[in-house]
């Protein structure tokens, strides 16, 4: 069959087959069964012809019974092979995509944040779920059965030619027409399948974003507008599906027509032959050919479909491999893993930009001694979060160096570095799992005693005990069933049990009210005990005790010193302090 496109991409096919290797025996058996099926398919029609000509038309009853039993046996054998064939190809396909999916997931979780800045999550979900599913079909419906179908056509045409070449040539006359129609259909359907895949990806992306952001949609009463947008995507999806079905609705009747032509030719030419040379062509031959025609037409018609399944699988594979090929992982060339990390941090003339040279941090230099606390202060967008992002190596610095205990952070093993820095963010993320697992993050080394102790220290033990199931309480996705303050406390416990040398608090108290903050302050104090801490807070109460305060403005250090020193300078920090003081005064009086 003439084909175009990705199926000729043997490199891609080879790559897919890398994943078949562990299941080589399943694959080989599938192919063997496929060949067997193709080989025995012409037997039954032949038996029928033989029975008709030699037993029925001659009235040989016992012969007829024997032949019938043989045919029943053949049928059972065929069914048995078919059953195993379907089972094996499905096992093969599903095993391959399970392995691939795990691989893709591992890869995605290791990609650096920069990748997620520009890739919609819905798209990644489509890759790991539905695109992967199309790869399974390569094995269960595509490639292997295409081999079988092709073989079957070849075998049957061979048997037909052998039985009666003249009659065969006549009835197969419309076959080129069928091949032509199949090709046209296959090309059209390929385009429309691709449209469907694209719209599926769009649907997933849209749904994922709007379900995650549903509160924004509702707060701003955007339901109507979003509904319209969703409607448009759905319409495109529906249209793409209808278009592909339209091709089918044309194609199938055309195939019927062509096969009716063959049948007509068979009856016409066959009867003529029986009348003119009855010794060559028998009624049995006609019956046999009628069955053979079905066995030639059906596979050719299905080949178009299966070819598309294969094609879709290849497209899916290409997309999945593209995700696997993104090498946007944080390079982990560091090997150093000191026995104990003290937590001395030094930034030396650090320049940083998310995009090219749009610098968000300019010539940043500061030092935090082990056990000390540094506070970063500044307006929104000043670069506070960026500073801790680069300390964690979520993004790479452009110029300058960051060292921990005098070791360049790029020389430290990446997981080692990150596991020694615990970061508590304002926006706490909780998985839909138990409180316990949300705290330990499934680290088996952390015992329940440690968790309870940490919870007591942070002052969260009581409220957790009151929850149904206590530490086994299942928080809904994103911690929806907990208050912001409670979720924040969970994140403090999480940081505490991981016992980091360096603690980072990025506006960790912003989502709790001033009163709760006073309670949490105790938790924070115990959290910071004996650790190097970097604190970003918009409430000055949290930072007054810091050993050093750094005031950032548009990525540059404007002022630095202790609370008292900075007040004396009477600059930016003083202004901030006055503002805060007066606003807290207002808050208290109201
Ligand atoms: N992922 C990102 N990609 C591109 N620009 C970013 C990203 N995150 C933050 N920025 C930009 O970097 C600057 C500093 O942001 P950030 O460090 O988050 O400020 P702060 O935490 O002080 O409010 C801002 O101008 C912000 O728009
Ligand atoms: Mg920030």
């Amino acid at each position: 069959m003439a084909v175009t496109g990705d199926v000729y991409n043997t490199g891609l096919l080879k790559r897919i087959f890398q994943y078949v290797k562990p299941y080589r025996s399943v694959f080989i058996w599938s192919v063997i069964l496929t060949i067997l099926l193709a080989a025995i398919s012409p037997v039954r029609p032949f038996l029928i012809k033989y029975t008709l000509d030699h037993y029925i038309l001659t009235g040989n009853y016992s012969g007829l019974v024997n032949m019938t039993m043989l045919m029943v046996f053949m049928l059972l054998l065929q069914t048995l092979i078919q059953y195993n064939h379907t089972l094996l190809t499905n096992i093969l396909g599903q095993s391959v995509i399970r392995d691939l999916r795990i691989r893709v997931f591992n890869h995605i979780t290791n990609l650096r944040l920069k990748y997620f800045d520009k890739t919609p999550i819905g798209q990644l979900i489509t890759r790991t779920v539905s695109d992967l599913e199309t790869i399974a079909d390569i094995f269960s419906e595509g490639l292997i059965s295409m081999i079988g179908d092709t073989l079957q056509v070849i075998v049957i045409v061979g048997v037909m030619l052998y039985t009666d070449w003249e009659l065969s040539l006549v009835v197969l006359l419309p076959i080129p027409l069928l091949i032509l129609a199949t090709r046209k259909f296959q090309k059209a359907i390929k385009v429309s399948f691709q449209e469907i895949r694209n719209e599926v990806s769009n649907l997933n992306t849209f749904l994922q974003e709007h379900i995650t952001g549903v509160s924004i949609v509702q707060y701003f009463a955007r339901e109507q507008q979003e509904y319209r947008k969703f409607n448009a995507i759905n319409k495109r999806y529906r249209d793409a599906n209808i278009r592909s079905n339209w091709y089918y609705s044309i194609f199938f009747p055309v195939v019927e027509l062509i096969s009716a032509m063959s049948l007509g030719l068979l009856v016409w030419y066959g009867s003529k032959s029986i009348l003119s040379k009855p010794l060559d062509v028998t009624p049995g031959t006609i019956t046999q050919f009628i069955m053979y025609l079905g066995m030639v037409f059906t596979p050719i018609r299905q080949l178009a479909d299966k070819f598309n399944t294969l094609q879709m699988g290849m497209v899916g594979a290409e997309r999945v491999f593209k995700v696997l090929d993104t090498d946007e992982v944080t390079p982990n060339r560091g090997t150093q893993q000191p026995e104990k990390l003290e937590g001395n941090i030094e930034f030396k003339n650090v320049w940083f930009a998310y995009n090219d040279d749009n610098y968000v941090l300019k010539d940043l230099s500061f030092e935090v001694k082990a056990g000390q606390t540094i506070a970063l202060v500044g307006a929104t967008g000043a670069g506070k979060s960026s500073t801790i992002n680069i300390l964690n190596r979520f993004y790479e610095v452009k110029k300058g160096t960051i060292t921990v205990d005098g070791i360049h952070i790029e020389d430290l093993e990446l997981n080692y570095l990150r596991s020694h820095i615990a970061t508590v963010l304002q926006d706490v993320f909780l998985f839909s799992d138990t409180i316990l697992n949300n705290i330990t993050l499934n680290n088996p080394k952390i015992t329940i005693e440690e968790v309870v102790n940490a919870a007591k220290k942070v002052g969260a033990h009581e409220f957790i005990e009151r929850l149904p199931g206590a530490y086994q309480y299942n928080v809904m996705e994103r911690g929806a069933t907990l208050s912001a303050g409670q979720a924040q406390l969970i994140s403090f416990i999480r940081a505490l049990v991981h016992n980091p040398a360096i603690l980072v608090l990025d506006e960790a108290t912003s989502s709790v009210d001033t009163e709760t903050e006073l309670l949490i302050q105790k938790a924070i104090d115990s959290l910071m005990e004996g650790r190097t801490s970097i604190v970003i807070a918009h409430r000055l109460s949290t930072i007054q005790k810091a050993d050093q305060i750094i005031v950032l403005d548009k990525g540059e250090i404007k002022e630095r010193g202790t609370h008292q020193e900075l007040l004396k300078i009477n600059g930016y920090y003083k202004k901030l302090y006055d503002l805060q003081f007066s606003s807290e005064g207002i808050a208290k009086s109201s």
Side-chain angles (χ1 to χ4, degrees):
M1 213 170 106
V3 290
T4 51
D6 310 303
V7 175
Y8 275 158
N9 190 341
T10 48
L12 188 61
L13 209 56
K14 257 193 207 148
R15 192 159 172 198
I16 296 170
F17 270 87
Q18 289 294 313
Y19 291 86
V20 175
K21 273 191 182 156
Y23 311 101
R24 190 180 289 144
S25 57
V26 180
F27 176 72
I28 291 174
W29 271 111
S30 312
V31 174
I32 291 176
L33 294 185
T34 305
I35 294 171
L36 260 178
L37 270 179
I40 65 169
S41 58
V43 174
R44 226 166 9 108
F46 178 78
L47 291 179
I48 289 174
K49 166 210 151 77
Y50 199 84
T51 312
L52 195 60
D53 287 349
H54 293 87
Y55 300 108
I56 296 179
L57 293 181
T58 58
N60 182 337
Y61 183 70
S62 66
L64 174 65
V65 171
N66 284 341
M67 286 306 275
T68 310
M69 270 159 55
L70 186 59
M71 276 188 268
V72 169
F73 170 75
M74 287 300 298
L75 201 61
L76 286 177
L77 186 67
Q78 219 172 335
T79 313
L80 197 69
I81 296 176
Q82 187 73 53
Y83 162 78
N84 281 296
H85 177 259
T86 309
L87 201 66
L88 285 181
T89 51
N90 271 297
I91 289 176
L92 181 64
Q94 290 301 327
S95 305
V96 164
I97 65 164
R98 177 201 50 200
D99 294 354
L100 248 174
R101 186 174 284 135
I102 292 170
R103 214 153 151 174
V104 172
F105 177 75
N106 272 336
H107 190 74
I108 289 177
T109 48
N110 278 305
L111 289 173
R112 58 172 144 197
L113 292 187
K114 199 171 184 135
Y115 180 76
F116 299 97
D117 286 348
K118 51 176 203 255
T119 312
I121 295 171
Q123 190 183 319
L124 288 176
I125 292 175
T126 312
R127 296 290 174 274
T128 29
V129 183
S130 41
D131 281 344
L132 259 166
E133 207 62 50
T134 63
I135 301 180
D137 295 340
I138 292 182
F139 301 100
S140 55
E141 292 167 23
L143 198 61
I144 296 175
S145 52
M146 273 173 77
I147 298 173
D149 285 350
T150 312
L151 263 176
Q152 181 170 326
V153 171
I154 292 172
V155 169
I156 289 179
V157 169
V159 173
M160 282 169 85
L161 286 171
Y162 177 77
T163 311
D164 188 325
W165 68 269
E166 237 180 282
L167 187 61
S168 303
L169 287 184
V170 173
V171 300
L172 293 178
L173 216 54
I175 290 284
L177 216 58
L178 179 67
I179 292 177
L180 195 73
T182 305
R183 252 200 81 174
K184 282 245 175 311
F185 167 72
Q186 182 261 314
K187 273 186 180 163
I189 205 88
K190 178 188 164 192
V191 175
S192 106
F193 272 173
Q194 264 160 354
E195 282 171 2
I196 293 176
R197 301 303 317 156
N198 280 337
E199 294 309 331
V200 167
S201 184
N202 287 341
L203 265 178
N204 278 340
T205 305
F206 191 90
L207 272 175
Q208 191 275 328
E209 278 180 6
H210 284 76
I211 292 173
T212 313
V214 68
S215 56
I216 301 293
V217 174
Q218 294 186 356
Y219 275 137
F220 290 89
R222 298 289 299 173
E223 289 93 338
Q224 281 300 322
Q225 287 86 333
E226 299 306 328
Y227 165 80
R228 250 176 264 137
K229 264 199 250 164
F230 191 55
N231 227 352
I233 298 178
N234 267 300
K235 187 175 175 306
R236 287 204 302 272
Y237 181 58
R238 185 199 64 175
D239 291 348
N241 268 305
I242 290 180
R243 219 168 306 138
S244 87
N245 280 313
W246 183 79
Y247 292 129
Y248 277 99
S249 62
I250 295 273
F251 180 62
F252 284 154
V254 166
V255 172
E256 284 303 312
L257 212 68
I258 297 172
S259 82
M261 274 165 67
S262 273
L263 214 57
L265 284 172
L266 174 64
V267 174
W268 166 71
Y269 194 83
S271 350
K272 213 178 79 169
S273 307
I274 292 180
L275 295 180
S276 60
K277 37 178 182 172
L279 284 183
D280 282 2
V281 181
T282 62
T285 314
I286 308 268
T287 315
Q288 180 192 10
F289 268 52
I290 289 176
M291 292 182 80
Y292 279 161
L293 274 186
M295 294 169 96
V296 171
F297 272 89
T298 314
I300 291 183
R301 190 194 70 199
Q302 284 176 352
L303 268 173
D305 234 6
K306 288 176 182 166
F307 187 82
N308 280 313
T309 307
L310 178 60
Q311 182 92 63
M312 290 315 298
M314 300 288 272
V315 173
E318 211 165 16
R319 293 179 179 206
V320 170
F321 286 141
K322 208 170 149 201
V323 174
L324 277 180
D325 288 342
T326 41
D327 55 354
E328 290 200 44
V329 290
T330 308
N332 187 8
R333 281 184 287 268
T335 51
Q336 301 214 38
Q337 308 190 43
E339 192 75 39
K340 183 171 174 356
L341 200 75
E342 303 291 340
N344 295 293
I345 304 170
E346 189 177 8
F347 276 58
K348 232 189 254 167
N349 308 101
V350 171
W351 290 73
F352 170 67
Y354 288 98
N355 307 309
D356 297 330
D357 31 43
N358 196 356
Y359 286 104
V360 298
L361 293 176
K362 298 163 200 154
D363 204 21
L364 201 64
S365 297
F366 64 83
E367 203 184 342
V368 202
K369 288 259 178 296
Q372 285 194 341
T373 299
I374 192 172
L376 299 179
V377 181
T380 306
K384 305 181 295 291
S385 298
S386 304
T387 307
I388 60 175
N389 277 345
I390 55 175
L391 174 63
N392 272 300
R393 289 195 65 206
F394 285 137
Y395 300 87
E396 308 284 292
V397 301
K398 297 272 174 191
K399 282 182 263 178
T401 52
I402 304 173
T403 58
V404 174
D405 286 2
I407 305 165
H408 197 302
I409 52 170
E410 284 174 25
D411 293 333
L412 286 166
E413 204 277 328
L414 187 64
N415 290 319
Y416 174 89
L417 171 75
R418 288 184 180 164
S419 65
H420 283 81
I421 305 173
T423 309
V424 180
L425 301 170
Q426 173 183 6
D427 194 11
V428 180
F429 190 94
L430 296 178
F431 298 94
S432 49
D433 201 340
T434 60
I435 296 230
L436 184 68
N437 288 341
N438 264 296
I439 291 170
T440 62
L441 297 179
N442 297 310
N443 182 346
K445 283 195 201 124
I446 300 170
T447 65
I448 177 87
E449 287 77 32
E450 286 174 292
V451 172
V452 172
N453 278 337
K456 282 182 179 157
K457 252 190 179 166
V458 169
H461 181 64
E462 285 76 31
F463 103 77
I464 296 174
E465 283 283 277
R466 275 198 302 275
L467 293 169
Y471 287 86
Q472 296 301 332
Y473 178 73
N474 210 308
V475 302
M476 296 304 287
E477 199 169 338
R478 310 214 70 189
T481 47
L482 299 177
S483 75
Q486 288 171 333
Q488 197 60 264
L489 285 175
I490 304 279
S491 75
F492 283 141
I493 307 173
R494 190 191 272 167
L496 201 55
V497 294
H498 283 87
N499 195 20
I502 299 165
L503 177 74
V504 174
L505 304 177
D506 190 352
E507 316 218 1
T509 57
S510 302
S511 48
V512 299
D513 51 79
T514 326
E515 229 160 289
T516 317
E517 194 187 345
L518 280 178
L519 287 175
I520 289 184
Q521 194 59 52
K522 247 185 61 200
I524 294 178
D525 286 345
S526 64
L527 208 57
M528 297 202 305
E529 232 172 66
R531 301 175 211 286
T532 310
S533 310
I534 301 179
V535 181
I536 301 169
H538 69 190
R539 291 222 184 82
L540 292 176
S541 55
T542 340
I543 50 182
Q544 280 173 14
K545 281 179 267 175
D547 299 294
Q548 191 184 183
I549 298 167
I550 288 185
V551 181
L552 276 178
D553 182 37
K554 299 193 188 79
E556 285 176 274
I557 296 182
K558 278 275 132 89
E559 295 168 6
R560 67 171 93 204
T562 62
H563 179 66
Q564 292 306 331
E565 286 165 4
L566 287 181
L567 284 186
K568 262 188 228 132
I569 298 176
N570 198 11
Y572 185 90
Y573 184 78
K574 176 73 165 53
K575 247 185 257 158
L576 212 69
Y577 178 76
D578 289 341
L579 258 171
Q580 179 81 27
F581 189 71
S582 57
S583 71
E584 272 182 9
I586 293 164
K588 265 172 204 150
S589 64
S590 64

